[in-house]
């Protein structure tokens, strides 16, 4: 849309020298938002440290140093060791792998369900729409955390169950959003035009309507990864998520349940909490920056 | 309005019904039952079979569901399979007031702070103060509530020991409201502060939206003082969407308290839910889920009704 306006403007004013692509405009706007760029950089660093954890981590995941158990931060162990003599800094890096993966995969699942059901609902309307929206009502009637712990308690806590459960419960917001976008687009002229040319439903949905709802979907998906990481942390902290010995940021904070560790060894439970804060904060900055950058009402100067 | 209310309430019935069906089946189709965890060598298999019979675990799932539904409609949610086989309704009655006082206190804290901060931030848009507030909003939205609660306990119960670490009363002490308030302070502040982030953000954007409106320009151009424009014309309109948030936040604040209650060992609905889930106490899990669902549904309804009450432009006919 922005592109069209610019084309029109350049035609009117007779300036045909440069027409910027949509993505260049978005990138220009995004660059100006310092917090968003900061968030993106932190996320790249966190992702790289998660991907290359086995190379970066000074110790392996299972390595137990029986000579130095329960030790405070030192040169050999930057964040100290836990009661089994495992290096906390190394575990933090490996935990990042798990937490970020769970965040991405779970959000991916809920995004897929939300986009498909929302698209069907908004495109076809009528009885299908009513049915899907009632389903959304049912799912959004119970606080996410309660529903999640209920289901996880039934299917058993594991990293895979966690991803599936968060994904299956968390799609309602996306579905509502996509449905809303589709309802707006459905009556637009270019869609009617495509219909008149005999485009199939699938073509209309995937080639015309989805790409035009891309911006809000991208923003929700980005912010969704952040809240998914927080849910993973909460469930794992309660003992209903990722199970030890596999570390996740959430279950590493479980060490705070030991009153002595909680009181005297904050270096054991503070770093994973700060890691969650940093990751989610960066994602929120990024999502907010994307929202502004993708908003066609915002002006570039 | 009346027809609208009746329609909405009637619409809610199938939703709650479907929900109870789904949850009941999910819980009961799970492998293992509450007795599975009690594999005591002293209990013979005949004993176990008798216990199953007693708890009604031998009937078919459909029969069990309709039995549950029949009783639930009369307000009887069965007996807890753990906690001394007490009636579930009694457990809920006991826990609910505890949750309500904590949640109301937390809500008051966040509202009393968030609304003025949000309005201030909006009026000083792009100032240093606004940027600082926005930054803290982001921090608040990115902090997991349980981690924030742990930090609060660490700082205000251990480093600077002014608040108790948990519970609702000093063990052994006689009942006193002051004692409860003293125990409630830290969890309420922790919960309230977490709520501030989203409320401030909401108030700020609502105020920014209103200040842009034509009628504000009109008010200014007819020579009203800035004070009258802001406090009489802008503020009243900015508060419209905020009032509806009250309804929407009812279930949110109850749901959000699950993990906070757990950490502060506050004997409310949240701790009850977590405990029930861990011990597979089916009747309690069912009742708690249905309770939250009902609260959420009513919260949404209240939000819509309040919207019509405060904004005369909206009519439900």
């Amino acid at each position: 849309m922005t592109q069209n306006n610019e084309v029109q403007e350049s035609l009117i004013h007779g300036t045909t020298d440069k027409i910027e692509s949509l993505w260049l405009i978005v990138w220009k706007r995004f660059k100006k938002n310092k917090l968003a760029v900061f968030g993106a950089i932190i996320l790249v660093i966190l992702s790289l440290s998660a991907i290359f954890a086995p190379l970066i981590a000074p110790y392996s995941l299972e390595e137990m140093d029986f000579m130095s158990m329960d030790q405070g931060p030192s040169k050999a162990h930057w964040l100290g060791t836990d009661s089994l003599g495992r290096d906390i800094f190394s575990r933090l890096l490996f935990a990042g792998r798990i937490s970020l993966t769970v965040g991405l995969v779970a959000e991916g699942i809920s995004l897929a369900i939300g986009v498909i059901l929302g698209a069907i609902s908004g495109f076809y309307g009528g009885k299908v729409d009513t049915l899907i929206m009632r389903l959304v009502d049912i799912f959004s009637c119970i606080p996410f955390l309660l529903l999640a712990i209920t289901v996880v308690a039934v299917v058993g806590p594991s990293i895979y169950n966690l991803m599936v459960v968060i994904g299956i419960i968390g799609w309602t917001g996306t579905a509502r959003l996509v449905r809303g976008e589709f309802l707006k687009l459905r009556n637009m002229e270019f869609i009617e035009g495509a219909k008149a040319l005999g485009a199939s439903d699938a073509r209309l949905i995937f080639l015309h309507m989805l790409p035009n709802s891309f911006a809000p979907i991208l923003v929700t998906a980005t912010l969704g990864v952040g809240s998914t990481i927080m849910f993973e942390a909460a469930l794992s902290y309660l003992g209903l998520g990722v199970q030890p010995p596999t570390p996740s940021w959430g279950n590493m904070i479980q060490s705070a349940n030991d009153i002595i560790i909680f009181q005297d060894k904050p270096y054991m439970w503070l770093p994973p909490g700060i890691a969650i804060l940093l990751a989610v904060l960066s994602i929120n900055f990024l999502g907010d920056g994307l929202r502004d950058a993708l908003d066609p009402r915002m002006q570039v100067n | 309005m009346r027809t609208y209310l009746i329609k909405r309430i009637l619409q809610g019935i199938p939703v709650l019904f479907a929900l109870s069906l789904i949850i009941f089946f999910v819980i009961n189709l799970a492998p293992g039952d509450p007795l599975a965890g009690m594999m005591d060598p002293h209990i013979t298999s005949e004993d176990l079979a008798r216990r199953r019979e007693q708890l009604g675990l031998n009937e078919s799932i459909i029969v069990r569901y309709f039995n549950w539904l029949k009783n639930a409609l009369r307000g009887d949610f069965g007996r807890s399979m753990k906690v001394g086989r007490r009636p579930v309704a009694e457990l809920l009655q006991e826990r609910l007031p505890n949750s309500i006082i904590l949640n109301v206190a937390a809500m008051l804290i966040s509202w009393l702070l968030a609304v003025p901060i949000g309005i201030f931030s909006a009026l000083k848009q792009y100032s240093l103060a606004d940027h600082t507030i926005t930054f803290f909003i982001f921090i608040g939205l990115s902090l997991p509530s349980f981690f924030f609660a742990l930090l609060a306990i660490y700082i205000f119960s251990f480093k600077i020991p002014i608040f108790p670490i948990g519970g609702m009363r000093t063990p052994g002490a006689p009942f006193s409201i002051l004692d409860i308030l003293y125990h409630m302070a830290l969890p309420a502040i922790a919960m309230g502060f977490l709520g501030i982030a989203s409320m401030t953000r909401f108030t700020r954007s609502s105020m920014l939206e209103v200040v842009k409106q034509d009628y504000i320009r009109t008010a200014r151009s007819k020579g009203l003082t800035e004070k009258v424009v802001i406090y009489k014309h802008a503020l009243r309109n900015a508060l419209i969407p905020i009032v509806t948030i009250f309804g929407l936040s009812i279930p949110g604040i109850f749901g959000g308290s699950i993990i906070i209650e757990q950490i502060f060992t506050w004997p409310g609905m949240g701790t009850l839910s977590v405990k029930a889930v861990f011990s597979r106490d089916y009747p309690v899990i069912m009742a708690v889920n249905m309770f939250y669902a009902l609260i959420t549904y009513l919260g949404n309804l209240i939000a819509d009704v309040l919207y019509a009450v405060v904004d005369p432009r909206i009519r439900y006919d």
Side-chain angles (χ1 to χ4, degrees):
Chain A
M1 295 241 291
T2 323
Q3 208 176 0
N4 284 340
N5 289 341
E6 295 214 338
V7 172
Q8 268 175 6
E9 245 166 58
S10 60
L11 287 176
I12 292 164
H13 301 298
T15 50
T16 43
D17 47 352
K18 65 167 195 218
I19 295 168
E20 291 173 325
S21 82
L22 175 66
W23 290 107
L24 191 66
I25 297 170
V26 168
W27 169 241
K28 274 190 172 171
R29 286 199 201 130
F30 183 80
K31 255 192 328 195
K32 271 199 270 164
N33 188 334
K34 285 187 207 100
L35 286 178
V37 174
F38 166 79
I41 293 170
I42 297 286
L43 279 179
V44 169
I45 296 173
L46 283 175
S47 314
L48 288 179
S49 70
I51 295 167
F52 298 107
L55 299 175
I56 307 168
Y59 299 86
S60 82
L61 190 53
E62 293 88 15
E63 202 172 324
M64 295 179 212
D65 187 350
F66 295 110
M67 301 305 286
S68 56
M69 292 189 292
D70 259 333
Q71 280 190 351
S74 65
K75 246 186 203 157
H77 302 282
W78 291 357
L79 293 173
T81 54
D82 65 9
S83 48
L84 294 171
R86 296 175 299 190
D87 182 56
I88 294 175
F89 178 67
S90 304
R91 284 180 65 75
L92 198 63
L93 289 177
F94 282 101
R97 269 187 146 181
I98 304 290
S99 294
L100 294 176
T101 311
V102 172
L104 282 174
V105 174
E107 180 55 31
I109 296 174
S110 76
L111 190 67
I113 302 176
V115 167
I116 292 171
L117 290 185
I120 294 174
S121 195
F123 186 82
Y124 291 104
K127 280 201 181 108
V128 194
D129 180 34
T130 316
L131 187 76
I132 292 176
M133 281 304 112
R134 281 294 93 81
L135 206 61
V136 169
D137 283 347
I138 292 171
F139 269 85
S140 43
C141 238
I142 293 191
F144 192 94
L145 194 64
L146 180 67
L147 194 54
I149 63 175
T150 305
V151 180
V152 168
V154 167
V155 295
S158 83
I159 176 167
Y160 301 105
N161 287 347
L162 187 66
M163 294 192 282
V164 174
V165 168
I166 297 180
I168 287 183
I169 316 178
W171 56 273
T172 53
T174 318
R176 272 209 187 106
L177 175 99
V178 175
R179 173 178 177 268
E181 288 296 314
F182 269 48
L183 286 180
K184 255 192 285 176
L185 289 171
R186 200 164 62 170
N187 298 321
M188 285 209 175
E189 278 162 6
F190 74 98
I191 295 295
E192 278 173 10
K195 248 189 228 162
L197 288 173
S200 66
D201 288 357
R203 193 181 167 83
L204 282 173
I205 292 176
F206 291 107
L207 249 75
H208 294 283
M209 292 167 94
L210 263 187
N212 275 292
S213 350
F214 179 73
I217 295 176
L218 180 69
V219 174
T220 344
T222 311
L223 297 175
V225 174
S227 44
T228 311
I229 289 176
M230 294 226 271
F231 275 118
E232 180 277 323
L235 285 168
S236 296
Y237 169 74
L238 285 175
L240 290 164
V242 179
Q243 298 295 300
T246 309
S248 88
W249 286 334
N251 73 23
M252 282 180 80
I253 304 180
Q254 270 182 348
S255 61
N257 289 347
D258 181 329
I259 197 99
I260 296 166
I261 291 180
F262 181 68
Q263 202 176 348
D264 300 330
K265 299 181 176 124
Y267 56 84
M268 284 181 71
W269 58 270
L270 274 178
I274 293 168
I276 298 170
L277 172 64
L278 203 60
V280 179
L281 188 63
S282 309
I283 290 171
N284 285 342
F285 281 152
L286 178 70
D288 206 56
L290 283 176
R291 192 202 319 261
D292 288 347
L294 291 166
D295 188 346
R297 285 172 304 179
M298 300 280 272
Q299 290 294 316
V300 227
N301 14 318
Chain B
M1 189 58 149
R2 206 159 137 204
T3 24
Y4 171 77
L5 267 181
I6 294 168
K7 208 175 103 195
R8 278 291 298 269
I9 290 168
L10 288 180
Q11 266 175 359
I13 293 169
V15 169
L16 290 178
F17 177 76
L19 192 70
S20 72
L21 197 73
I22 294 172
I23 296 176
F24 194 88
F25 275 75
V26 166
I27 294 174
N28 285 283
L29 286 175
D33 59 42
L35 298 180
M38 307 200 295
M39 281 306 176
D40 185 330
H42 300 294
I43 296 177
T44 62
S45 52
E46 288 92 65
D47 281 338
L48 224 68
R50 205 170 54 238
R51 293 283 282 280
R52 283 216 167 84
E53 184 65 50
Q54 259 177 14
L55 293 173
L57 293 172
N58 285 341
E59 311 249 25
S60 88
I61 186 162
I62 296 158
V63 173
R64 272 190 282 155
Y65 175 73
F66 281 103
N67 281 339
W68 176 85
L69 187 68
K70 205 170 66 194
N71 292 327
L73 287 176
R74 289 192 311 232
D76 174 12
F77 288 91
R79 281 167 182 279
S80 161
M81 290 180 169
K82 299 283 150 99
V83 214
R85 303 272 293 127
R86 294 178 54 195
V88 177
E90 202 181 292
L91 278 175
L92 293 193
Q93 262 170 30
E94 189 182 291
R95 299 297 190 105
L96 194 57
N98 299 347
S99 275
I100 291 175
I101 53 169
L102 178 61
N103 287 307
V104 167
M107 220 161 124
L108 279 179
I109 292 173
S110 57
W111 277 54
L112 289 179
L113 289 170
V115 172
I117 295 177
I119 288 167
F120 172 80
S121 192
L123 293 180
K124 307 261 178 212
Q125 200 188 5
Y126 302 131
S127 69
L128 180 67
D130 178 38
H131 283 304
T132 318
I133 290 167
T134 308
F135 184 76
F136 276 104
I137 290 174
F138 268 106
I139 300 257
L141 292 175
S142 312
L143 255 178
S145 54
F146 70 96
F147 184 63
F148 186 70
L150 287 173
L151 278 178
I153 299 179
Y154 180 70
I155 296 170
F156 295 108
S157 300
F158 285 106
K159 292 289 128 178
I160 318 164
I162 33 178
F163 291 117
I165 56 166
M168 198 171 103
R169 284 191 224 162
T170 313
F175 175 87
S176 90
I177 292 175
L178 267 179
D179 190 40
I180 292 178
L181 283 178
Y182 172 59
H183 280 80
M184 198 169 78
L186 199 54
I189 292 171
M191 253 169 79
F193 264 73
L194 280 168
I196 288 179
S198 53
M199 270 302 295
T200 307
R201 187 166 147 127
F202 194 82
T203 315
R204 180 177 177 273
S205 57
S206 166
M207 192 69 184
L208 284 177
E209 193 61 39
V210 167
V211 173
K212 272 194 302 202
Q213 298 296 317
D214 287 343
Y215 57 80
I216 295 296
R217 195 188 314 151
T218 310
R220 283 209 177 101
S221 62
K222 71 180 184 185
L224 293 178
T225 59
E226 193 59 19
K227 224 180 190 170
V228 175
V229 173
I230 296 299
Y231 292 102
K232 204 165 165 199
H233 294 246
L235 188 57
R236 284 191 183 181
N237 285 293
L239 287 177
I240 292 175
I242 297 170
V243 169
T244 64
I245 286 289
F246 169 74
L248 294 178
S249 69
I250 295 175
I253 223 153
F254 274 88
S257 73
I258 289 179
I259 203 154
I260 298 269
E261 285 185 2
Q262 179 71 13
I263 286 173
F264 284 95
T265 54
W266 185 262
M269 297 287 290
T271 29
L272 182 71
S273 326
V274 175
K275 211 161 145 196
V277 162
F278 270 106
S279 57
R280 288 173 177 249
D281 196 343
Y282 298 161
V284 179
I285 299 178
M286 263 321 276
V288 167
N289 270 290
M290 292 319 293
F291 167 78
Y292 278 111
L294 189 68
I295 293 278
T296 311
Y297 199 82
L298 289 178
N300 289 341
L301 188 63
I302 291 172
D304 289 346
V305 171
L306 278 181
Y307 209 63
V309 170
V310 293
D311 190 345
R313 285 168 300 182
I314 291 173
R315 302 209 165 275
Y316 300 116
D317 294 317

